[in-house]
Amino acid sequence: MTAHIKIQLFAMFKEIAGRKEIVQDIHPETTLGDVLNGLAKKYSKDFKETIDEKTRQVDISTLVMLNGRNIRDTDVKLKDNDLIIITIPVGGG
Amino acid sequence: MVWNRKIAFINLSTGKVSQKLVSKTMRTLYLGGRGLNMHMLYTLLKPKTDPLGHENVLFVGAGLLGGIPCLGSGRCDIAAKSPLTGAVGDSNIGGFFAPELRFAGFDHLAITGKADKPVYLLIKNGEVEIKDASHLWGEDTFETQTVIKRDEDDQNIKSLVIGVAGENLVRFANVRTGMKNSAGRTGMGCVMGSKNLKAIAARGTVPLDFAYPDELLEYCKQMNNMITSTRWAKAQSRWGTMIIYSNTNTTGLIRTRNFQLNRLEEGEDLEPENIDRYSIGTSGCYGCAVHCRHRYVLREGPYAPLYGEGPEYTSLGAFGTMVDCKKMETILVANHLVNKYGVDTLETGGLIAWAMELYEKGILNDKMTDGLKLQWGDEEAVYEMIRKIAYRDGFGNTLADGFRGAIAKIGNGSEYYAIQIKGMSNLHSDERPTPSFALGIATSTRGADHLRSRPAIDLYGLPEDLLKEIYGGSVATDYNSYDGKSRMVWWQELLYAITDSIGTCKFQTVFCAVHAPKWKEFSKLIQLATGMKLSKAQLMDIGERIYTVERLFNLREGFSRKDDSLPERYFKEPTPIGLPAARNKKIDRKKFNKMLDEYYELHGWDNNGIPTMETLKKLHLDKEPSNLT
């Protein structure tokens, strides 16, 4: 059976992609970086700024959460049913 | 700009008004706004003053930088002893009032006594006049402002007003200005009502003389350009603070059905984009380049036509998640109602949600609620409760006294379900997965509150070296961790004390974004505007002084370490749903107490939360009337 992940997009990422949720098939070696690069290629604009070019980690102007936990390491391998949220770090209440 | 602005002392019992300049010494110790208000609150009030008595003093203070064209410099601080908590009463309001007060020649007002009939203050170019407000009594907060402008034949007047809730001494009545802005927390509108003070109107044309006007203007441009280029400011401009909802609700960081769940299921209609159905654009406060408030119109339905502004993220919680209402329209109507009547959105929503849980559990019944069925998701019940609270009608009269008063009346185990600290409701965030947020609401000097210290950037998983650079010590990246989180809370408390004292917006500092303006930028703005040179270390000392004065005030009123805690449910009931990082989380009591010890130490307070003599001397507070014995 094919493994898949769910990606939820908020704020400008949702607006740019024109959708809130993407379900994507993955293979055992798929990393967070693969997913973010794929989205950048497909949607461009703010998606192109999600990875810091110098550190190759998630840029601090983007908030990426893996199963509810913020994540910077783009080398992390994804597994079946992971939920990735891509939004902006904006705080408050 | 600073040195010729005055404090007006107004006694509403005698009608006497006196004025004096704020000394340079006071400026260097407290800046203005909240800082100076807290100094005066502590030194001018006697211990155990009745919050609704003649002796309570209402302080209104513009920030030190009020009127500069950046960072939302229109913030105004309103303070008194709180009739809701008995602790420090203090609330901060945006809009345009504070700059207008400065243009009228004043930075601070200290209002005592009680008028023998409804009055309003007219403050105009160095003069203070007490005027009859009998014709305004009973008017809502919108109409009151309109009538004052008409009566004074001046559309540029800016007013702080109360609605019927303030007149009826609802203990969490707020103070309002314009269509949107509220000094919501701790019941400052109730204090105005107790003084028969319906409004404070300001209008002036006295120029603000900045120390280095050209350089200041250039630097403000830089600040505005920097802020508007960020992604967070763009998002705030587009969706307002509602933007926070999508992530926090999906993750499971939002209390729902009072405190039974931590996510609103099927809550898609509250997603920020849905404001587009009603929005006709956005607007902002004085000196703000972000413009985070929506102007909305309801053209259809039983409450149409209706115009309002906002709503904030907190109102999504107050009238959405906490009471299990799932429609954006409910939020917009309820937001309009609390604004119209002049009651705090958070306290009102928190109390109604609590009452709904009590009703569900049988602690409240139809007889006690005047036949109103307080069932989850019933927006008509929410609207009716807002009205009943504002008018102190029936069961509304019970809730109008806040959690303390209502618990005393209802009893029967109701206290356990109340999500309140020091007598004030928490907002709708669920802090069980985030120990830093939990510590912040526990230690806040004005009761459960996110605006005293919330280190929102804790959610972003920032690298440890960056956190160390910001906070000056080790802080764990993981938001579930307790390590270093006391340092975060302490640091943010000092920063927000400064923000509230210079009169700028918290959203434009390290609340939302790590690279937003902080000490260095504040220091430069203060120098260019006033000529005062204050280093980062000096600003941190001022923040510490302000926070310690608030602590001393509360200690004098009988608060202690036991009040720096959380509702029992935080320790006993784990979060039932949400994503893995937010699910099955509760606060570990032992680790929480360790955080509290560390937090006291960072402030220079002892294990009981009492400032040491060494700290008092360092902050030049050892000669103040501590009255701690």
Side-chain angles (χ1 to χ4, degrees), chain B residues 486-520:
Chain B
S486 50
R487 176 172 287 277
M488 277 187 131
V489 170
W490 163 76
W491 188 94
Q492 299 279 169
E493 282 179 346
L494 305 194
L495 185 76
Y496 294 167
I498 297 302
T499 313
D500 288 342
S501 302
I502 60 176
T504 57
C505 179
K506 285 193 182 74
F507 286 132
Q508 299 185 41
T509 184
V510 186
F511 192 167
C512 297
V514 64
H515 292 309
K518 42 188 175 290
W519 310 107
K520 187 179 140 198

mmCIF file of all heavy atoms in Angstrom, chain B residues 486-520:
data_model
loop_
_atom_site.group_PDB
_atom_site.id
_atom_site.type_symbol
_atom_site.label_atom_id
_atom_site.label_comp_id
_atom_site.label_asym_id
_atom_site.label_seq_id
_atom_site.Cartn_x
_atom_site.Cartn_y
_atom_site.Cartn_z
ATOM 1 N N SER B 486 11.135 29.995 32.063
ATOM 2 C CA SER B 486 10.992 31.080 33.037
ATOM 3 C C SER B 486 11.724 32.325 32.526
ATOM 4 O O SER B 486 11.257 33.447 32.697
ATOM 5 C CB SER B 486 11.568 30.648 34.385
ATOM 6 O OG SER B 486 12.869 30.129 34.199
ATOM 7 N N ARG B 487 12.864 32.109 31.891
ATOM 8 C CA ARG B 487 13.632 33.228 31.339
ATOM 9 C C ARG B 487 12.850 33.923 30.242
ATOM 10 O O ARG B 487 12.834 35.150 30.153
ATOM 11 C CB ARG B 487 14.975 32.713 30.798
ATOM 12 C CG ARG B 487 15.812 33.758 30.110
ATOM 13 C CD ARG B 487 17.193 33.241 29.778
ATOM 14 N NE ARG B 487 18.015 33.122 30.974
ATOM 15 C CZ ARG B 487 18.685 34.141 31.524
ATOM 16 N NH1 ARG B 487 18.632 35.338 30.978
ATOM 17 N NH2 ARG B 487 19.391 33.960 32.604
ATOM 18 N N MET B 488 12.205 33.156 29.399
ATOM 19 C CA MET B 488 11.382 33.741 28.325
ATOM 20 C C MET B 488 10.295 34.654 28.899
ATOM 21 O O MET B 488 10.103 35.778 28.458
ATOM 22 C CB MET B 488 10.662 32.637 27.546
ATOM 23 C CG MET B 488 11.454 31.962 26.478
ATOM 24 S SD MET B 488 10.361 30.842 25.536
ATOM 25 C CE MET B 488 10.771 31.312 23.870
ATOM 26 N N VAL B 489 9.588 34.122 29.892
ATOM 27 C CA VAL B 489 8.471 34.878 30.472
ATOM 28 C C VAL B 489 8.975 36.152 31.127
ATOM 29 O O VAL B 489 8.423 37.244 30.931
ATOM 30 C CB VAL B 489 7.697 33.994 31.475
ATOM 31 C CG1 VAL B 489 6.687 34.815 32.268
ATOM 32 C CG2 VAL B 489 6.991 32.862 30.739
ATOM 33 N N TRP B 490 10.035 36.024 31.926
ATOM 34 C CA TRP B 490 10.626 37.191 32.602
ATOM 35 C C TRP B 490 11.029 38.259 31.588
ATOM 36 O O TRP B 490 10.684 39.432 31.724
ATOM 37 C CB TRP B 490 11.839 36.722 33.414
ATOM 38 C CG TRP B 490 12.780 37.810 33.828
ATOM 39 C CD1 TRP B 490 12.592 38.716 34.833
ATOM 40 C CD2 TRP B 490 14.063 38.106 33.241
ATOM 41 N NE1 TRP B 490 13.677 39.553 34.912
ATOM 42 C CE2 TRP B 490 14.589 39.208 33.949
ATOM 43 C CE3 TRP B 490 14.816 37.553 32.210
ATOM 44 C CZ2 TRP B 490 15.828 39.768 33.645
ATOM 45 C CZ3 TRP B 490 16.049 38.102 31.903
ATOM 46 C CH2 TRP B 490 16.547 39.193 32.613
ATOM 47 N N TRP B 491 11.725 37.853 30.550
ATOM 48 C CA TRP B 491 12.229 38.789 29.527
ATOM 49 C C TRP B 491 11.056 39.484 28.824
ATOM 50 O O TRP B 491 11.072 40.684 28.600
ATOM 51 C CB TRP B 491 13.077 38.002 28.540
ATOM 52 C CG TRP B 491 13.834 38.794 27.517
ATOM 53 C CD1 TRP B 491 15.134 39.215 27.620
ATOM 54 C CD2 TRP B 491 13.368 39.226 26.236
ATOM 55 N NE1 TRP B 491 15.494 39.876 26.475
ATOM 56 C CE2 TRP B 491 14.438 39.899 25.603
ATOM 57 C CE3 TRP B 491 12.171 39.111 25.547
ATOM 58 C CZ2 TRP B 491 14.340 40.455 24.342
ATOM 59 C CZ3 TRP B 491 12.055 39.676 24.279
ATOM 60 C CH2 TRP B 491 13.125 40.332 23.693
ATOM 61 N N GLN B 492 10.046 38.704 28.474
ATOM 62 C CA GLN B 492 8.896 39.293 27.771
ATOM 63 C C GLN B 492 8.130 40.248 28.687
ATOM 64 O O GLN B 492 7.596 41.253 28.237
ATOM 65 C CB GLN B 492 7.954 38.196 27.263
ATOM 66 C CG GLN B 492 8.573 37.236 26.262
ATOM 67 C CD GLN B 492 8.641 37.728 24.820
ATOM 68 O OE1 GLN B 492 9.289 37.117 23.996
ATOM 69 N NE2 GLN B 492 7.983 38.822 24.518
ATOM 70 N N GLU B 493 8.081 39.924 29.974
ATOM 71 C CA GLU B 493 7.419 40.842 30.915
ATOM 72 C C GLU B 493 8.092 42.206 30.903
ATOM 73 O O GLU B 493 7.414 43.246 30.911
ATOM 74 C CB GLU B 493 7.454 40.264 32.339
ATOM 75 C CG GLU B 493 6.427 39.167 32.576
ATOM 76 C CD GLU B 493 6.477 38.577 33.975
ATOM 77 O OE1 GLU B 493 7.464 38.813 34.707
ATOM 78 O OE2 GLU B 493 5.534 37.867 34.351
ATOM 79 N N LEU B 494 9.412 42.212 30.901
ATOM 80 C CA LEU B 494 10.138 43.483 30.892
ATOM 81 C C LEU B 494 9.916 44.217 29.568
ATOM 82 O O LEU B 494 9.691 45.433 29.539
ATOM 83 C CB LEU B 494 11.639 43.262 31.114
ATOM 84 C CG LEU B 494 12.077 42.484 32.353
ATOM 85 C CD1 LEU B 494 13.576 42.654 32.579
ATOM 86 C CD2 LEU B 494 11.327 42.918 33.593
ATOM 87 N N LEU B 495 9.960 43.468 28.469
ATOM 88 C CA LEU B 495 9.795 44.095 27.153
ATOM 89 C C LEU B 495 8.402 44.718 27.012
ATOM 90 O O LEU B 495 8.254 45.845 26.540
ATOM 91 C CB LEU B 495 10.019 43.072 26.036
ATOM 92 C CG LEU B 495 9.974 43.665 24.624
ATOM 93 C CD1 LEU B 495 11.263 44.427 24.312
ATOM 94 C CD2 LEU B 495 9.740 42.603 23.562
ATOM 95 N N TYR B 496 7.382 43.966 27.413
ATOM 96 C CA TYR B 496 6.017 44.490 27.265
ATOM 97 C C TYR B 496 5.752 45.656 28.223
ATOM 98 O O TYR B 496 4.934 46.541 27.919
ATOM 99 C CB TYR B 496 4.981 43.379 27.495
ATOM 100 C CG TYR B 496 4.986 42.277 26.450
ATOM 101 C CD1 TYR B 496 4.304 41.095 26.660
ATOM 102 C CD2 TYR B 496 5.678 42.419 25.251
ATOM 103 C CE1 TYR B 496 4.298 40.067 25.715
ATOM 104 C CE2 TYR B 496 5.683 41.393 24.303
ATOM 105 C CZ TYR B 496 5.005 40.230 24.540
ATOM 106 O OH TYR B 496 5.007 39.225 23.604
ATOM 107 N N ALA B 497 6.435 45.660 29.369
ATOM 108 C CA ALA B 497 6.293 46.808 30.279
ATOM 109 C C ALA B 497 6.808 48.072 29.588
ATOM 110 O O ALA B 497 6.219 49.155 29.718
ATOM 111 C CB ALA B 497 7.053 46.559 31.579
ATOM 112 N N ILE B 498 7.888 47.919 28.825
ATOM 113 C CA ILE B 498 8.432 49.072 28.092
ATOM 114 C C ILE B 498 7.496 49.446 26.941
ATOM 115 O O ILE B 498 7.186 50.624 26.730
ATOM 116 C CB ILE B 498 9.857 48.760 27.554
ATOM 117 C CG1 ILE B 498 10.810 48.512 28.723
ATOM 118 C CG2 ILE B 498 10.365 49.897 26.665
ATOM 119 C CD1 ILE B 498 10.941 49.639 29.711
ATOM 120 N N THR B 499 7.035 48.456 26.190
ATOM 121 C CA THR B 499 6.126 48.731 25.064
ATOM 122 C C THR B 499 4.905 49.511 25.548
ATOM 123 O O THR B 499 4.493 50.501 24.929
ATOM 124 C CB THR B 499 5.660 47.396 24.427
ATOM 125 O OG1 THR B 499 6.795 46.568 24.246
ATOM 126 C CG2 THR B 499 5.004 47.629 23.091
ATOM 127 N N ASP B 500 4.341 49.083 26.676
ATOM 128 C CA ASP B 500 3.156 49.756 27.218
ATOM 129 C C ASP B 500 3.480 51.146 27.768
ATOM 130 O O ASP B 500 2.573 51.957 27.961
ATOM 131 C CB ASP B 500 2.542 48.922 28.352
ATOM 132 C CG ASP B 500 1.852 47.660 27.846
ATOM 133 O OD1 ASP B 500 1.544 47.582 26.639
ATOM 134 O OD2 ASP B 500 1.605 46.752 28.666
ATOM 135 N N SER B 501 4.739 51.387 28.058
ATOM 136 C CA SER B 501 5.115 52.684 28.634
ATOM 137 C C SER B 501 5.554 53.691 27.579
ATOM 138 O O SER B 501 5.478 54.895 27.804
ATOM 139 C CB SER B 501 6.232 52.493 29.668
ATOM 140 O OG SER B 501 5.789 51.602 30.671
ATOM 141 N N ILE B 502 6.023 53.201 26.446
ATOM 142 C CA ILE B 502 6.307 54.133 25.343
ATOM 143 C C ILE B 502 5.074 54.272 24.450
ATOM 144 O O ILE B 502 5.029 55.134 23.581
ATOM 145 C CB ILE B 502 7.547 53.721 24.520
ATOM 146 C CG1 ILE B 502 7.385 52.335 23.895
ATOM 147 C CG2 ILE B 502 8.809 53.797 25.364
ATOM 148 C CD1 ILE B 502 8.548 51.921 22.988
ATOM 149 N N GLY B 503 4.091 53.418 24.649
ATOM 150 C CA GLY B 503 2.811 53.573 23.955
ATOM 151 C C GLY B 503 2.775 53.036 22.547
ATOM 152 O O GLY B 503 2.052 53.541 21.692
ATOM 153 N N THR B 504 3.551 51.967 22.295
ATOM 154 C CA THR B 504 3.527 51.355 20.960
ATOM 155 C C THR B 504 2.823 49.998 21.020
ATOM 156 O O THR B 504 2.505 49.498 22.091
ATOM 157 C CB THR B 504 4.958 51.197 20.391
ATOM 158 O OG1 THR B 504 5.728 50.430 21.303
ATOM 159 C CG2 THR B 504 5.603 52.562 20.181
ATOM 160 N N CYS B 505 2.612 49.424 19.826
ATOM 161 C CA CYS B 505 1.785 48.220 19.734
ATOM 162 C C CYS B 505 2.615 46.952 19.955
ATOM 163 O O CYS B 505 3.687 46.799 19.377
ATOM 164 C CB CYS B 505 1.126 48.172 18.351
ATOM 165 S SG CYS B 505 0.109 46.705 18.105
ATOM 166 N N LYS B 506 2.086 46.051 20.765
ATOM 167 C CA LYS B 506 2.807 44.800 21.046
ATOM 168 C C LYS B 506 2.993 43.940 19.797
ATOM 169 O O LYS B 506 3.927 43.156 19.711
ATOM 170 C CB LYS B 506 2.056 43.977 22.092
ATOM 171 C CG LYS B 506 2.199 44.517 23.482
ATOM 172 C CD LYS B 506 1.722 43.507 24.504
ATOM 173 C CE LYS B 506 1.816 44.076 25.899
ATOM 174 N NZ LYS B 506 0.775 45.069 26.182
ATOM 175 N N PHE B 507 2.065 44.060 18.852
ATOM 176 C CA PHE B 507 2.207 43.255 17.639
ATOM 177 C C PHE B 507 3.432 43.666 16.830
ATOM 178 O O PHE B 507 3.847 42.955 15.940
ATOM 179 C CB PHE B 507 0.966 43.356 16.769
ATOM 180 C CG PHE B 507 -0.192 42.586 17.316
ATOM 181 C CD1 PHE B 507 -1.439 43.157 17.413
ATOM 182 C CD2 PHE B 507 -0.037 41.289 17.755
ATOM 183 C CE1 PHE B 507 -2.506 42.450 17.935
ATOM 184 C CE2 PHE B 507 -1.089 40.568 18.280
ATOM 185 C CZ PHE B 507 -2.334 41.154 18.378
ATOM 186 N N GLN B 508 3.975 44.857 17.139
ATOM 187 C CA GLN B 508 5.135 45.319 16.382
ATOM 188 C C GLN B 508 6.397 45.228 17.234
ATOM 189 O O GLN B 508 7.286 46.073 17.152
ATOM 190 C CB GLN B 508 4.877 46.725 15.843
ATOM 191 C CG GLN B 508 3.669 46.711 14.910
ATOM 192 C CD GLN B 508 3.400 48.027 14.220
ATOM 193 O OE1 GLN B 508 4.319 48.687 13.785
ATOM 194 N NE2 GLN B 508 2.136 48.385 14.093
ATOM 195 N N THR B 509 6.419 44.218 18.091
ATOM 196 C CA THR B 509 7.641 43.908 18.813
ATOM 197 C C THR B 509 7.766 42.381 18.859
ATOM 198 O O THR B 509 7.075 41.691 18.121
ATOM 199 C CB THR B 509 7.643 44.549 20.210
ATOM 200 O OG1 THR B 509 8.897 44.298 20.827
ATOM 201 C CG2 THR B 509 6.532 44.002 21.085
ATOM 202 N N VAL B 510 8.633 41.858 19.733
ATOM 203 C CA VAL B 510 8.859 40.412 19.746
ATOM 204 C C VAL B 510 7.673 39.703 20.419
ATOM 205 O O VAL B 510 7.781 39.145 21.491
ATOM 206 C CB VAL B 510 10.180 40.052 20.448
ATOM 207 C CG1 VAL B 510 10.466 38.557 20.324
ATOM 208 C CG2 VAL B 510 11.310 40.824 19.839
ATOM 209 N N PHE B 511 6.528 39.840 19.810
ATOM 210 C CA PHE B 511 5.354 39.066 20.172
ATOM 211 C C PHE B 511 5.116 38.119 19.003
ATOM 212 O O PHE B 511 5.039 36.914 19.147
ATOM 213 C CB PHE B 511 4.172 40.019 20.349
ATOM 214 C CG PHE B 511 2.947 39.426 20.983
ATOM 215 C CD1 PHE B 511 1.939 40.258 21.437
ATOM 216 C CD2 PHE B 511 2.785 38.071 21.149
ATOM 217 C CE1 PHE B 511 0.806 39.750 22.040
ATOM 218 C CE2 PHE B 511 1.651 37.549 21.745
ATOM 219 C CZ PHE B 511 0.657 38.400 22.186
ATOM 220 N N CYS B 512 5.099 38.727 17.833
ATOM 221 C CA CYS B 512 4.807 37.983 16.613
ATOM 222 C C CYS B 512 6.055 37.452 15.946
ATOM 223 O O CYS B 512 6.023 36.402 15.326
ATOM 224 C CB CYS B 512 4.129 38.899 15.608
ATOM 225 S SG CYS B 512 2.569 39.518 16.168
ATOM 226 N N ALA B 513 7.113 38.209 15.995
ATOM 227 C CA ALA B 513 8.237 37.867 15.130
ATOM 228 C C ALA B 513 9.556 38.172 15.812
ATOM 229 O O ALA B 513 9.699 39.192 16.492
ATOM 230 C CB ALA B 513 8.142 38.666 13.835
ATOM 231 N N VAL B 514 10.492 37.316 15.593
ATOM 232 C CA VAL B 514 11.767 37.378 16.303
ATOM 233 C C VAL B 514 12.580 38.614 15.943
ATOM 234 O O VAL B 514 13.299 39.174 16.768
ATOM 235 C CB VAL B 514 12.538 36.064 16.073
ATOM 236 C CG1 VAL B 514 12.903 35.881 14.624
ATOM 237 C CG2 VAL B 514 13.763 35.993 16.930
ATOM 238 N N HIS B 515 12.457 39.075 14.701
ATOM 239 C CA HIS B 515 13.255 40.223 14.285
ATOM 240 C C HIS B 515 12.482 41.543 14.361
ATOM 241 O O HIS B 515 12.923 42.544 13.817
ATOM 242 C CB HIS B 515 13.794 40.003 12.865
ATOM 243 C CG HIS B 515 14.817 38.905 12.802
ATOM 244 N ND1 HIS B 515 15.893 38.857 13.647
ATOM 245 C CD2 HIS B 515 14.901 37.804 12.030
ATOM 246 C CE1 HIS B 515 16.607 37.777 13.385
ATOM 247 N NE2 HIS B 515 16.026 37.108 12.413
ATOM 248 N N ALA B 516 11.353 41.543 14.999
ATOM 249 C CA ALA B 516 10.588 42.779 15.162
ATOM 250 C C ALA B 516 11.337 43.711 16.124
ATOM 251 O O ALA B 516 12.211 43.270 16.868
ATOM 252 C CB ALA B 516 9.203 42.449 15.687
ATOM 253 N N PRO B 517 10.991 44.998 16.117
ATOM 254 C CA PRO B 517 11.701 45.951 16.981
ATOM 255 C C PRO B 517 11.683 45.549 18.450
ATOM 256 O O PRO B 517 10.706 44.994 18.948
ATOM 257 C CB PRO B 517 10.907 47.246 16.772
ATOM 258 C CG PRO B 517 10.313 47.115 15.419
ATOM 259 C CD PRO B 517 9.995 45.670 15.265
ATOM 260 N N LYS B 518 12.811 45.840 19.111
ATOM 261 C CA LYS B 518 12.903 45.587 20.550
ATOM 262 C C LYS B 518 13.814 46.644 21.160
ATOM 263 O O LYS B 518 13.743 47.792 20.768
ATOM 264 C CB LYS B 518 13.313 44.159 20.857
ATOM 265 C CG LYS B 518 14.404 43.573 19.994
ATOM 266 C CD LYS B 518 14.565 42.084 20.285
ATOM 267 C CE LYS B 518 15.572 41.444 19.353
ATOM 268 N NZ LYS B 518 15.072 41.352 17.965
ATOM 269 N N TRP B 519 14.665 46.256 22.097
ATOM 270 C CA TRP B 519 15.409 47.228 22.916
ATOM 271 C C TRP B 519 16.157 48.267 22.083
ATOM 272 O O TRP B 519 16.071 49.472 22.348
ATOM 273 C CB TRP B 519 16.405 46.485 23.808
ATOM 274 C CG TRP B 519 15.800 45.352 24.567
ATOM 275 C CD1 TRP B 519 15.978 44.025 24.325
ATOM 276 C CD2 TRP B 519 14.893 45.429 25.680
ATOM 277 N NE1 TRP B 519 15.249 43.266 25.220
ATOM 278 C CE2 TRP B 519 14.575 44.100 26.062
ATOM 279 C CE3 TRP B 519 14.325 46.492 26.383
ATOM 280 C CZ2 TRP B 519 13.731 43.807 27.119
ATOM 281 C CZ3 TRP B 519 13.479 46.204 27.437
ATOM 282 C CH2 TRP B 519 13.186 44.881 27.795
ATOM 283 N N LYS B 520 16.936 47.815 21.124
ATOM 284 C CA LYS B 520 17.798 48.724 20.357
ATOM 285 C C LYS B 520 16.957 49.776 19.622
ATOM 286 O O LYS B 520 17.266 50.967 19.639
ATOM 287 C CB LYS B 520 18.604 47.881 19.350
ATOM 288 C CG LYS B 520 19.653 48.639 18.590
ATOM 289 C CD LYS B 520 20.388 47.677 17.660
ATOM 290 C CE LYS B 520 20.643 48.345 16.327
ATOM 291 N NZ LYS B 520 20.957 47.386 15.273
#
